[in-house]
Amino acid sequence: MAKKHTLTPITVLFVQWYYLEAPLSVLRGYFAYVKALSEIVPFVFLLRTLLLPWKNIADRTKMRGIDLSRIMEKLSLGLLSCGVGFVVRVLTIAMGLIAQILLLTFVLLYLAVWLLFPALFLLGIGYSVQSL
C-alpha cells in the first residue's frame, strides 16, 4: 500500500521556527561573539600575567659590588614596569567584562522581546478592537 504523505500545517511550521529555530540561531550567534571576545581579551592569560612587568621590561644588567643608586634604579624600573603592566591588564579585563555583560544583556533583551512579541501583538489587536 502506498504511503500517504502528510503535509505539516504552516502554523505548526511557523511556531516551530519562531520558538525553536530562531532563538537557537540567536544563541549560536551569541556564543560565536563570546568566543570572539574571549580571543580578543584573553582573560586567563591576563590574570596569569597580572603582576609581571609590562612588555617584559626589566633591567637585566649584572651588578658588580654594592651601588645603592644602581640598586634603587633597578628597583624603581621594576616597580614602575610591574605597576604599568598591572594597570593596563586590569583595565583590559574590566573592558572585556563590560563588553561581555553588554552582549549578554542585549541578547537576553532581544530574546525576551522576540518571544513576547506575539502575545503583545495579540493584546494590541484586542485593545484596538475593544476600543472601536
Side-chain angles (χ1 to χ4, degrees):
M1 184 165 180
K3 197 175 191 182
K4 280 188 173 180
H5 293 287
T6 58
L7 295 176
T8 307
I10 195 159
T11 54
V12 173
L13 290 174
F14 174 75
V15 168
Q16 179 183 359
W17 170 80
Y18 195 85
Y19 287 106
L20 291 176
E21 293 174 22
L24 286 176
S25 176
V26 169
L27 289 176
R28 275 188 232 107
Y30 166 71
F31 287 118
Y33 275 107
V34 166
K35 184 179 177 185
L37 275 173
S38 67
E39 288 180 13
I40 293 170
V41 182
F43 293 108
V44 175
F45 175 76
L46 289 172
L47 287 172
R48 267 193 285 143
T49 61
L50 192 61
L51 297 175
L52 292 180
W54 177 244
K55 301 253 184 192
N56 209 14
I57 297 173
D59 190 3
R60 305 223 191 278
T61 58
K62 300 221 180 206
M63 289 183 41
R64 293 185 184 150
I66 298 177
D67 185 6
L68 192 56
S69 66
R70 186 74 180 132
I71 291 172
M72 293 306 292
E73 186 179 308
K74 286 181 89 161
L75 180 66
S76 62
L77 177 64
L79 288 176
L80 183 65
S81 181
C82 286
V84 169
F86 179 79
V87 169
V88 169
R89 289 179 183 107
V90 166
L91 290 176
T92 304
I93 290 170
M95 288 190 311
L97 286 175
I98 289 170
Q100 293 282 5
I101 290 169
L102 286 174
L103 179 64
L104 178 64
T105 303
F106 175 74
V107 166
L108 291 177
L109 183 64
Y110 181 83
L111 283 175
V113 169
W114 177 268
L115 295 174
L116 292 175
F117 182 75
L120 296 175
F121 182 72
L122 292 176
L123 285 173
I125 287 177
Y127 177 73
S128 65
V129 167
Q130 183 184 15
S131 66
L132 289 175

